[in-house]
């Protein structure tokens, strides 16, 4: 009994030891080994065998070209969007403002050069007596550079009969005004063509097509009938050698570097300065004065360009002071310029898409 018990126990122990030993599995072949180490035939392509290309390019994808507003979903067999690019950029005209110029504004400074003559302006005679006002003279009463009495005067005159005045200094300009144009509905550039690249096809063994010149890709028919078979690569590139020779270039974005030139105004024309000058025998600018209009300023600004005015009744026989009673600026006009489109819109970040050429449609019977 004991021996049988031990025998039974021993048999049970042997059985437990035997069950703990891992079973041996025998594979007929290894489908994941390389071609040299596997006796298995390569699996068939679950999609479609298409021409292979360089590893520098993407795997063959299904690509749709068309209006961005008509973008379809990626087909079920290639449901992942690999890339979206754009082409055929429509750039509307840039609406620039119309430039105008306001009437000129400016200031006038009094003349500094005076030549007093012993004869009227329209009569010949010797050169008169010339003097300059102070450099910073603003037209207030000034008693420098006096001409005392005692000049040798023509018979019947009170000495000084006329005066030449130097040029009046004028500073002026026009203010440019921008008149906005009505803004059209669409002013931003718009892409006219979209490239939708769809991928995500099931993985397959590299030799699933049984031909090293082909690779396995998602089927293109019939669900993706409007999609083309293409490869793509970032940047501007030549298409790879082989079947993918129909080249397209698409872009991620654009740089709008357009602007409108600034409105400007030409120097004023027909502007001038005119005023009332007084000359006195008294050094304090009082007493009887002989006055006349200061000559209108003319280009170029030249102190030797002098206008002449006669003293009425030859009343001035000497000069002790002078004063600019008034000086008015006469507005002119300016020619506007500017308000012109400048710069351009440049597509950026290109991608090259190369496709198998489409076969021409067969003529209708």
């Amino acid at each position: 009994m004991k021996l049988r018990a031990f025998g039974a126990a021993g048999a049970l122990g042997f059985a437990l030891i035997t069950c703990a030993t891992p079973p041996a599995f025998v594979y007929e072949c290894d489908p994941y080994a390389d071609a040299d180490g596997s006796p298995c035939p390569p699996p068939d392509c679950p999609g479609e065998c298409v021409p292979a290309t360089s590893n520098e390019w993407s795997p063959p994808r299904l690509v749709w070209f068309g209006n961005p507003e008509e973008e379809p979903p990626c087909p079920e067999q290639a449901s992942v969007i690999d890339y979206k690019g754009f082409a055929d950029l429509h750039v509307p005209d840039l609406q620039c403002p119309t430039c105008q110029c306001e009437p000129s504004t400016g200031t006038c400074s009094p003349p500094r050069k005076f030549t007093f003559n012993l004869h009227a302006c329209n009569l010949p005679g010797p050169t008169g007596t010339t003097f300059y006002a102070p450099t910073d003279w603003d037209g207030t009463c000034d008693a420098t550079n006096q001409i005392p009495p005692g000049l040798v005067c023509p018979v019947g005159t009170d000495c000084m009969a006329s005066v030449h005045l130097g040029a009046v200094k004028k500073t002026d300009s026009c203010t440019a005004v921008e008149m906005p144009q009505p803004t059209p509905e669409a002013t931003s550039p718009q892409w006219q063509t979209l490239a939708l690249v769809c991928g995500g096809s099931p993985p397959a063994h590299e030799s699933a097509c049984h031909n090293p010149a082909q690779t396995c890709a998602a089927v293109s028919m019939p669900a993706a009938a409007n999609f083309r078979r293409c490869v793509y690569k970032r940047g501007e590139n030549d298409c790879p050698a082989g079947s993918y020779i129909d080249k397209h270039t698409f872009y991620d974005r654009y740089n709008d570097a357009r602007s409108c030139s600034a409105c400007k105004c030409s120097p004023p024309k027909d502007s001038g300065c005119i005023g009332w000058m007084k000359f006195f025998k008294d050094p304090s600018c009082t007493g009887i004065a002989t006055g006349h209009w200061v000559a209108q300023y003319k280009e170029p600004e030249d102190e030797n360009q002098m206008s002449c005015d006669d003293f009425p009744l030859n009343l001035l026989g000497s000069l002790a002071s002078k004063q600019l009673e008034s000086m008015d600026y006469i507005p002119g006009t300016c020619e506007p310029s500017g308000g012109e489109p400048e710069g351009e819109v440049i597509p950026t970040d290109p991608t090259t898409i190369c496709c198998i050429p489409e076969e021409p449609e067969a003529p209708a019977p």
Side-chain angles (χ1 to χ4, degrees):
M1 294 290 291
K2 291 182 179 180
L3 289 175
R4 284 196 296 272
F6 280 115
L12 180 58
F14 178 79
L16 291 174
I17 293 172
T18 302
C19 291
T21 303
F25 295 96
V26 177
Y27 293 94
E28 295 181 0
C29 60
D30 182 359
Y32 297 102
D34 57 30
D36 295 332
S38 172
C40 294
D44 292 331
C45 173
E48 180 179 350
C49 290
V50 299
T53 187
S54 165
N55 290 334
E56 296 178 355
W57 292 77
S58 72
R61 296 302 190 211
L62 296 180
V63 182
W64 178 86
F65 300 105
N67 189 327
E69 296 181 358
E70 300 173 358
E71 177 186 351
C74 282
E76 182 178 355
Q77 66 270 31
S79 58
V80 178
I81 297 176
D82 265 16
Y83 168 75
K84 278 187 180 183
F86 303 90
D88 302 326
L89 186 62
H90 171 69
V91 181
D93 292 337
L94 188 64
Q95 300 298 310
C96 291
T98 299
C99 296
Q100 297 181 355
C101 293
E102 294 182 346
S104 66
T105 57
T107 58
C108 300
S109 300
R112 292 188 56 245
K113 184 178 182 179
F114 304 90
T115 300
F116 294 91
N117 309 301
L118 303 179
H119 54 81
C121 292
N122 62 342
L123 297 177
T127 303
T129 303
T130 298
F131 72 92
Y132 288 88
T135 302
D136 57 352
W137 186 47
D138 60 3
T140 56
C141 183
D142 175 60
T144 60
N145 298 320
Q146 298 181 6
I147 299 178
L151 296 176
V152 179
C153 302
V155 178
T157 69
D158 197 13
C159 208
M160 286 182 282
S162 64
V163 62
H164 281 86
L165 292 92
V168 175
K169 183 174 178 59
K170 178 189 68 174
T171 303
D172 60 351
S173 63
C174 293
T175 299
V177 179
E178 295 183 355
M179 305 298 294
Q181 294 288 338
T183 303
E185 292 183 2
T187 57
S188 299
Q190 301 292 326
W191 297 107
Q192 303 298 300
T193 305
L194 166 70
L196 174 66
V197 180
C198 298
S201 55
H205 192 270
E206 61 183 5
S207 58
C209 289
H210 313 284
N211 184 342
Q214 291 188 321
T215 188
C216 184
V219 295
S220 60
M221 298 290 285
N226 294 326
F227 284 72
R228 305 228 359 228
R229 182 74 66 192
C230 312
V231 294
Y232 70 93
K233 182 180 178 181
R234 287 287 188 174
E236 284 275 7
N237 305 282
D238 293 329
C239 286
S243 301
Y244 301 91
I245 59 174
D246 185 12
K247 179 180 176 179
H248 305 264
T249 303
F250 282 77
Y251 302 88
D252 290 0
R253 56 188 61 84
Y254 60 80
N255 178 27
D256 190 348
R258 297 174 300 164
S259 63
C260 297
S261 60
C263 288
K264 298 179 180 180
C265 294
S266 68
K269 62 180 181 180
D270 301 327
S271 62
C273 299
I274 194 168
W276 185 255
M277 231 9 228
K278 286 185 176 181
F279 302 96
F280 300 87
K281 296 180 179 181
D282 184 88
S284 60
C285 298
T286 58
I288 298 175
T290 296
H292 67 88
W293 291 104
V294 173
Q296 184 173 342
Y297 173 86
K298 297 179 181 179
E299 297 289 353
E301 182 181 331
D302 183 356
E303 65 179 10
N304 294 316
Q305 179 182 340
M306 306 178 77
S307 60
C308 184
D309 283 289
D310 293 329
F311 289 121
L313 304 177
N314 299 330
L315 291 179
L316 195 61
S318 62
L319 174 66
S321 60
K322 56 194 172 296
Q323 183 179 24
L324 179 67
E325 186 170 272
S326 64
M327 178 71 79
D328 297 321
Y329 172 79
I330 302 172
T333 58
C334 299
E335 294 295 327
S337 62
E340 300 293 334
E342 297 179 328
E344 58 183 337
V345 179
I346 303 174
T348 60
D349 301 327
T351 292
T352 302
I353 301 176
C354 294
C355 305
I356 297 175
E358 290 184 297
E359 296 182 1
E361 294 183 3

